[in-house]
Amino acid sequence: MNKELFKKEMDIEDSSVTSRRKFLKQIACGSLLSIGGSGVASAAVRNVIYPAKHGQSHPQPIKHNIKSSHTAVSHGHARLHGHSQGRIHSHPIDPKIISRHASLSSGNYYTPSHKTLFLEHEHTGDSLKLTYFEQGRYVHGALEEINFLMRDYHTDDVHPIDTALLDQLFDLNEILGINKPIHIVSGYRSPFTNAQLRRNTPGVAEHSFHMQGRAIDIRIEGVQARTIKDAALSMAQGGVGFYPYNNFVHLDTGDIRTW
């Protein structure tokens, strides 16, 4: 009897140790900062850049580091209407957003069998609803269609879009619980277009993440920009810019920061 009791106690202790190790592994993999389909199970396919064609280059794999502030202006939108990059979020996030995020985050080892996006470009009128991730892999043809949809509509230049950015959009949809198209205000920008914007528009960074296919500006019909911002901040997956005067939210796959 004493041996059986001792064995049972050792099993319980081993289980506790295993549980703690899993928890520490989650932290190491960053899964506590991700939701829905971007947990440990999908870590191997996160931050993949679709291979460039025709000699186009693409950035190195992205590292998501938590930083409270930046001493220099980061990529993306620099300053606009008093919102600077690196500023700590100072307004409380909608409790409903926090609740939904917590619910989705509870399944850290769960990866959806497929991920679908419903996108519509405000300037071209192009729209698509397609599955870009299926059975643990990104769908080649779907990525090409998304790359074209998010092209620089000024020059028609096409650039690979960071799949981590697509996953952010998918996670955002999951948190908001919507089935509406995400309206693209700005996707990829060629160096030429970005330079033109810098001359005519305040707050456009010289080395914008838009030029790397790592940023997007969005609106969602019937959803307040502040609500979209709160949901994006709760994901803690990259940069989040809030532009209430222009009614859009900026997302990128750079360091975790907000302005």
Side-chain angles (χ1 to χ4, degrees), residues 74-106:
S74 300
H75 302 300
H77 297 270
R79 293 177 182 273
L80 186 62
H81 303 303
H83 293 272
S84 62
Q85 286 191 315
R87 179 171 297 178
I88 302 299
H89 177 62
S90 58
H91 300 285
I93 295 177
D94 186 340
K96 293 179 182 178
I97 296 294
I98 296 176
S99 176
R100 185 181 290 273
H101 182 198
S103 175
L104 292 171
S105 298
S106 62

mmCIF file of all heavy atoms in Angstrom, residues 74-106:
data_model
loop_
_atom_site.group_PDB
_atom_site.id
_atom_site.type_symbol
_atom_site.label_atom_id
_atom_site.label_comp_id
_atom_site.label_asym_id
_atom_site.label_seq_id
_atom_site.Cartn_x
_atom_site.Cartn_y
_atom_site.Cartn_z
ATOM 1 N N SER A 74 9.999 54.551 -36.243
ATOM 2 C CA SER A 74 9.993 53.216 -36.821
ATOM 3 C C SER A 74 9.359 53.249 -38.201
ATOM 4 O O SER A 74 8.820 54.251 -38.626
ATOM 5 C CB SER A 74 9.217 52.263 -35.917
ATOM 6 O OG SER A 74 9.802 52.214 -34.649
ATOM 7 N N HIS A 75 9.387 52.091 -38.873
ATOM 8 C CA HIS A 75 8.763 51.976 -40.182
ATOM 9 C C HIS A 75 7.257 52.108 -40.036
ATOM 10 O O HIS A 75 6.681 51.757 -39.037
ATOM 11 C CB HIS A 75 9.097 50.620 -40.815
ATOM 12 C CG HIS A 75 10.566 50.401 -40.969
ATOM 13 N ND1 HIS A 75 11.363 51.232 -41.711
ATOM 14 C CD2 HIS A 75 11.384 49.461 -40.457
ATOM 15 C CE1 HIS A 75 12.604 50.789 -41.672
ATOM 16 N NE2 HIS A 75 12.650 49.727 -40.918
ATOM 17 N N GLY A 76 6.626 52.531 -41.116
ATOM 18 C CA GLY A 76 5.179 52.680 -41.098
ATOM 19 C C GLY A 76 4.839 54.151 -41.098
ATOM 20 O O GLY A 76 5.522 54.970 -41.685
ATOM 21 N N HIS A 77 3.749 54.534 -40.442
ATOM 22 C CA HIS A 77 3.389 55.938 -40.322
ATOM 23 C C HIS A 77 4.179 56.518 -39.156
ATOM 24 O O HIS A 77 4.194 55.984 -38.067
ATOM 25 C CB HIS A 77 1.893 56.073 -40.036
ATOM 26 C CG HIS A 77 1.057 55.535 -41.160
ATOM 27 N ND1 HIS A 77 0.642 56.305 -42.205
ATOM 28 C CD2 HIS A 77 0.578 54.296 -41.393
ATOM 29 C CE1 HIS A 77 -0.063 55.574 -43.037
ATOM 30 N NE2 HIS A 77 -0.118 54.361 -42.566
ATOM 31 N N ALA A 78 4.825 57.632 -39.369
ATOM 32 C CA ALA A 78 5.673 58.199 -38.328
ATOM 33 C C ALA A 78 4.854 58.996 -37.330
ATOM 34 O O ALA A 78 4.690 58.586 -36.199
ATOM 35 C CB ALA A 78 6.745 59.086 -38.963
ATOM 36 N N ARG A 79 4.316 60.147 -37.712
ATOM 37 C CA ARG A 79 3.524 60.952 -36.799
ATOM 38 C C ARG A 79 2.343 61.539 -37.566
ATOM 39 O O ARG A 79 2.468 61.981 -38.683
ATOM 40 C CB ARG A 79 4.357 62.100 -36.203
ATOM 41 C CG ARG A 79 5.478 61.626 -35.284
ATOM 42 C CD ARG A 79 6.291 62.814 -34.788
ATOM 43 N NE ARG A 79 7.387 62.374 -33.953
ATOM 44 C CZ ARG A 79 7.288 62.177 -32.659
ATOM 45 N NH1 ARG A 79 6.132 62.359 -32.056
ATOM 46 N NH2 ARG A 79 8.315 61.784 -31.953
ATOM 47 N N LEU A 80 1.198 61.572 -36.921
ATOM 48 C CA LEU A 80 0.024 62.150 -37.546
ATOM 49 C C LEU A 80 -0.974 62.500 -36.468
ATOM 50 O O LEU A 80 -1.310 61.660 -35.634
ATOM 51 C CB LEU A 80 -0.594 61.158 -38.549
ATOM 52 C CG LEU A 80 -1.754 61.678 -39.398
ATOM 53 C CD1 LEU A 80 -1.294 62.850 -40.271
ATOM 54 C CD2 LEU A 80 -2.295 60.570 -40.281
ATOM 55 N N HIS A 81 -1.455 63.728 -36.470
ATOM 56 C CA HIS A 81 -2.459 64.185 -35.522
ATOM 57 C C HIS A 81 -2.035 63.921 -34.070
ATOM 58 O O HIS A 81 -2.851 63.547 -33.232
ATOM 59 C CB HIS A 81 -3.804 63.505 -35.790
ATOM 60 C CG HIS A 81 -4.299 63.731 -37.187
ATOM 61 N ND1 HIS A 81 -4.485 64.989 -37.714
ATOM 62 C CD2 HIS A 81 -4.645 62.862 -38.161
ATOM 63 C CE1 HIS A 81 -4.929 64.886 -38.959
ATOM 64 N NE2 HIS A 81 -5.027 63.618 -39.247
ATOM 65 N N GLY A 82 -0.761 64.062 -33.788
ATOM 66 C CA GLY A 82 -0.288 63.941 -32.411
ATOM 67 C C GLY A 82 -0.083 62.520 -31.932
ATOM 68 O O GLY A 82 0.278 62.296 -30.794
ATOM 69 N N HIS A 83 -0.302 61.516 -32.798
ATOM 70 C CA HIS A 83 -0.096 60.125 -32.378
ATOM 71 C C HIS A 83 1.290 59.703 -32.817
ATOM 72 O O HIS A 83 1.569 59.602 -34.001
ATOM 73 C CB HIS A 83 -1.147 59.211 -33.022
ATOM 74 C CG HIS A 83 -2.527 59.482 -32.523
ATOM 75 N ND1 HIS A 83 -3.047 58.878 -31.422
ATOM 76 C CD2 HIS A 83 -3.488 60.316 -32.977
ATOM 77 C CE1 HIS A 83 -4.283 59.304 -31.210
ATOM 78 N NE2 HIS A 83 -4.574 60.182 -32.145
ATOM 79 N N SER A 84 2.192 59.420 -31.885
ATOM 80 C CA SER A 84 3.552 59.028 -32.222
ATOM 81 C C SER A 84 3.761 57.551 -31.954
ATOM 82 O O SER A 84 3.154 56.975 -31.084
ATOM 83 C CB SER A 84 4.554 59.842 -31.397
ATOM 84 O OG SER A 84 4.372 59.591 -30.026
ATOM 85 N N GLN A 85 4.645 56.948 -32.764
ATOM 86 C CA GLN A 85 4.930 55.540 -32.582
ATOM 87 C C GLN A 85 5.648 55.319 -31.267
ATOM 88 O O GLN A 85 6.449 56.130 -30.823
ATOM 89 C CB GLN A 85 5.784 55.031 -33.724
ATOM 90 C CG GLN A 85 4.975 54.875 -35.017
ATOM 91 C CD GLN A 85 5.767 54.129 -36.038
ATOM 92 O OE1 GLN A 85 6.935 54.418 -36.229
ATOM 93 N NE2 GLN A 85 5.159 53.188 -36.703
ATOM 94 N N GLY A 86 5.386 54.155 -30.654
ATOM 95 C CA GLY A 86 6.040 53.803 -29.416
ATOM 96 C C GLY A 86 5.281 54.292 -28.200
ATOM 97 O O GLY A 86 5.630 53.959 -27.092
ATOM 98 N N ARG A 87 4.227 55.077 -28.396
ATOM 99 C CA ARG A 87 3.482 55.573 -27.238
ATOM 100 C C ARG A 87 2.670 54.446 -26.616
ATOM 101 O O ARG A 87 2.024 53.675 -27.314
ATOM 102 C CB ARG A 87 2.547 56.707 -27.664
ATOM 103 C CG ARG A 87 1.713 57.277 -26.537
ATOM 104 C CD ARG A 87 0.974 58.530 -26.974
ATOM 105 N NE ARG A 87 1.919 59.586 -27.338
ATOM 106 C CZ ARG A 87 1.532 60.776 -27.786
ATOM 107 N NH1 ARG A 87 0.255 61.051 -27.936
ATOM 108 N NH2 ARG A 87 2.441 61.678 -28.109
ATOM 109 N N ILE A 88 2.694 54.338 -25.307
ATOM 110 C CA ILE A 88 1.947 53.303 -24.613
ATOM 111 C C ILE A 88 0.452 53.592 -24.714
ATOM 112 O O ILE A 88 0.020 54.723 -24.582
ATOM 113 C CB ILE A 88 2.358 53.229 -23.128
ATOM 114 C CG1 ILE A 88 3.856 52.947 -23.017
ATOM 115 C CG2 ILE A 88 1.568 52.155 -22.396
ATOM 116 C CD1 ILE A 88 4.303 51.659 -23.630
ATOM 117 N N HIS A 89 -0.327 52.544 -24.973
ATOM 118 C CA HIS A 89 -1.784 52.694 -25.048
ATOM 119 C C HIS A 89 -2.312 53.197 -23.705
ATOM 120 O O HIS A 89 -2.087 52.594 -22.675
ATOM 121 C CB HIS A 89 -2.402 51.330 -25.374
ATOM 122 C CG HIS A 89 -3.888 51.336 -25.411
ATOM 123 N ND1 HIS A 89 -4.591 52.101 -26.304
ATOM 124 C CD2 HIS A 89 -4.794 50.667 -24.669
ATOM 125 C CE1 HIS A 89 -5.883 51.897 -26.106
ATOM 126 N NE2 HIS A 89 -6.030 51.039 -25.135
ATOM 127 N N SER A 90 -3.007 54.319 -23.731
ATOM 128 C CA SER A 90 -3.408 54.956 -22.483
ATOM 129 C C SER A 90 -4.901 54.888 -22.205
ATOM 130 O O SER A 90 -5.358 55.386 -21.185
ATOM 131 C CB SER A 90 -2.973 56.427 -22.496
ATOM 132 O OG SER A 90 -3.547 57.110 -23.598
ATOM 133 N N HIS A 91 -5.670 54.296 -23.109
ATOM 134 C CA HIS A 91 -7.108 54.198 -22.909
ATOM 135 C C HIS A 91 -7.488 52.747 -22.638
ATOM 136 O O HIS A 91 -6.915 51.838 -23.226
ATOM 137 C CB HIS A 91 -7.859 54.711 -24.141
ATOM 138 C CG HIS A 91 -7.565 56.148 -24.452
ATOM 139 N ND1 HIS A 91 -8.091 57.185 -23.725
ATOM 140 C CD2 HIS A 91 -6.779 56.704 -25.407
ATOM 141 C CE1 HIS A 91 -7.658 58.332 -24.231
ATOM 142 N NE2 HIS A 91 -6.855 58.060 -25.241
ATOM 143 N N PRO A 92 -8.454 52.512 -21.765
ATOM 144 C CA PRO A 92 -8.850 51.130 -21.472
ATOM 145 C C PRO A 92 -9.440 50.444 -22.698
ATOM 146 O O PRO A 92 -10.184 51.054 -23.463
ATOM 147 C CB PRO A 92 -9.904 51.295 -20.365
ATOM 148 C CG PRO A 92 -10.428 52.682 -20.536
ATOM 149 C CD PRO A 92 -9.260 53.497 -21.015
ATOM 150 N N ILE A 93 -9.084 49.178 -22.871
ATOM 151 C CA ILE A 93 -9.616 48.396 -23.986
ATOM 152 C C ILE A 93 -11.006 47.897 -23.625
ATOM 153 O O ILE A 93 -11.279 47.544 -22.482
ATOM 154 C CB ILE A 93 -8.681 47.209 -24.306
ATOM 155 C CG1 ILE A 93 -7.329 47.748 -24.797
ATOM 156 C CG2 ILE A 93 -9.267 46.279 -25.332
ATOM 157 C CD1 ILE A 93 -6.306 46.679 -25.075
ATOM 158 N N ASP A 94 -11.878 47.876 -24.603
ATOM 159 C CA ASP A 94 -13.248 47.416 -24.414
ATOM 160 C C ASP A 94 -13.249 46.039 -23.737
ATOM 161 O O ASP A 94 -12.638 45.099 -24.238
ATOM 162 C CB ASP A 94 -13.928 47.315 -25.788
ATOM 163 C CG ASP A 94 -15.407 46.985 -25.700
ATOM 164 O OD1 ASP A 94 -15.830 46.463 -24.652
ATOM 165 O OD2 ASP A 94 -16.126 47.243 -26.665
ATOM 166 N N PRO A 95 -13.938 45.891 -22.586
ATOM 167 C CA PRO A 95 -13.977 44.603 -21.874
ATOM 168 C C PRO A 95 -14.473 43.448 -22.743
ATOM 169 O O PRO A 95 -14.064 42.303 -22.560
ATOM 170 C CB PRO A 95 -14.946 44.876 -20.714
ATOM 171 C CG PRO A 95 -14.883 46.346 -20.504
ATOM 172 C CD PRO A 95 -14.675 46.949 -21.870
ATOM 173 N N LYS A 96 -15.357 43.744 -23.698
ATOM 174 C CA LYS A 96 -15.858 42.689 -24.584
ATOM 175 C C LYS A 96 -14.733 42.138 -25.451
ATOM 176 O O LYS A 96 -14.675 40.941 -25.720
ATOM 177 C CB LYS A 96 -16.983 43.238 -25.466
ATOM 178 C CG LYS A 96 -18.244 43.620 -24.708
ATOM 179 C CD LYS A 96 -19.296 44.173 -25.664
ATOM 180 C CE LYS A 96 -20.552 44.606 -24.904
ATOM 181 N NZ LYS A 96 -21.572 45.193 -25.817
ATOM 182 N N ILE A 97 -13.843 43.029 -25.888
ATOM 183 C CA ILE A 97 -12.690 42.606 -26.686
ATOM 184 C C ILE A 97 -11.773 41.725 -25.856
ATOM 185 O O ILE A 97 -11.310 40.671 -26.302
ATOM 186 C CB ILE A 97 -11.911 43.819 -27.212
ATOM 187 C CG1 ILE A 97 -12.772 44.643 -28.186
ATOM 188 C CG2 ILE A 97 -10.614 43.403 -27.868
ATOM 189 C CD1 ILE A 97 -13.109 43.928 -29.462
ATOM 190 N N ILE A 98 -11.508 42.144 -24.614
ATOM 191 C CA ILE A 98 -10.646 41.372 -23.719
ATOM 192 C C ILE A 98 -11.244 39.993 -23.466
ATOM 193 O O ILE A 98 -10.553 38.978 -23.488
ATOM 194 C CB ILE A 98 -10.439 42.118 -22.387
ATOM 195 C CG1 ILE A 98 -9.696 43.437 -22.628
ATOM 196 C CG2 ILE A 98 -9.673 41.256 -21.392
ATOM 197 C CD1 ILE A 98 -9.536 44.287 -21.392
ATOM 198 N N SER A 99 -12.552 39.956 -23.231
ATOM 199 C CA SER A 99 -13.235 38.692 -22.962
ATOM 200 C C SER A 99 -13.143 37.746 -24.150
ATOM 201 O O SER A 99 -12.843 36.560 -24.010
ATOM 202 C CB SER A 99 -14.700 38.961 -22.608
ATOM 203 O OG SER A 99 -15.405 37.755 -22.421
ATOM 204 N N ARG A 100 -13.391 38.278 -25.345
ATOM 205 C CA ARG A 100 -13.338 37.429 -26.538
ATOM 206 C C ARG A 100 -11.917 36.946 -26.791
ATOM 207 O O ARG A 100 -11.692 35.793 -27.161
ATOM 208 C CB ARG A 100 -13.865 38.201 -27.747
ATOM 209 C CG ARG A 100 -13.946 37.345 -29.018
ATOM 210 C CD ARG A 100 -14.449 38.168 -30.185
ATOM 211 N NE ARG A 100 -15.854 38.498 -30.029
ATOM 212 C CZ ARG A 100 -16.846 37.709 -30.437
ATOM 213 N NH1 ARG A 100 -16.561 36.556 -31.006
ATOM 214 N NH2 ARG A 100 -18.094 38.061 -30.271
ATOM 215 N N HIS A 101 -10.933 37.833 -26.574
ATOM 216 C CA HIS A 101 -9.536 37.452 -26.753
ATOM 217 C C HIS A 101 -9.159 36.346 -25.784
ATOM 218 O O HIS A 101 -8.506 35.370 -26.145
ATOM 219 C CB HIS A 101 -8.637 38.677 -26.549
ATOM 220 C CG HIS A 101 -7.183 38.391 -26.753
ATOM 221 N ND1 HIS A 101 -6.191 39.203 -26.299
ATOM 222 C CD2 HIS A 101 -6.551 37.353 -27.351
ATOM 223 C CE1 HIS A 101 -5.015 38.712 -26.610
ATOM 224 N NE2 HIS A 101 -5.201 37.581 -27.249
ATOM 225 N N ALA A 102 -9.569 36.490 -24.518
ATOM 226 C CA ALA A 102 -9.242 35.483 -23.503
ATOM 227 C C ALA A 102 -9.852 34.136 -23.881
ATOM 228 O O ALA A 102 -9.229 33.088 -23.704
ATOM 229 C CB ALA A 102 -9.761 35.934 -22.141
ATOM 230 N N SER A 103 -11.057 34.172 -24.421
ATOM 231 C CA SER A 103 -11.729 32.937 -24.820
ATOM 232 C C SER A 103 -10.979 32.244 -25.948
ATOM 233 O O SER A 103 -10.759 31.034 -25.921
ATOM 234 C CB SER A 103 -13.159 33.245 -25.257
ATOM 235 O OG SER A 103 -13.798 32.088 -25.753
ATOM 236 N N LEU A 104 -10.538 33.025 -26.949
ATOM 237 C CA LEU A 104 -9.815 32.449 -28.072
ATOM 238 C C LEU A 104 -8.419 32.003 -27.682
ATOM 239 O O LEU A 104 -7.886 31.035 -28.203
ATOM 240 C CB LEU A 104 -9.732 33.479 -29.208
ATOM 241 C CG LEU A 104 -11.053 33.826 -29.889
ATOM 242 C CD1 LEU A 104 -10.866 35.005 -30.840
ATOM 243 C CD2 LEU A 104 -11.617 32.637 -30.637
ATOM 244 N N SER A 105 -7.803 32.724 -26.725
ATOM 245 C CA SER A 105 -6.438 32.405 -26.310
ATOM 246 C C SER A 105 -6.363 31.147 -25.461
ATOM 247 O O SER A 105 -5.296 30.597 -25.261
ATOM 248 C CB SER A 105 -5.845 33.577 -25.516
ATOM 249 O OG SER A 105 -5.772 34.727 -26.306
ATOM 250 N N SER A 106 -7.513 30.687 -24.952
ATOM 251 C CA SER A 106 -7.497 29.523 -24.063
ATOM 252 C C SER A 106 -7.046 28.267 -24.783
ATOM 253 O O SER A 106 -6.555 27.338 -24.180
ATOM 254 C CB SER A 106 -8.893 29.306 -23.466
ATOM 255 O OG SER A 106 -9.843 29.034 -24.491
#
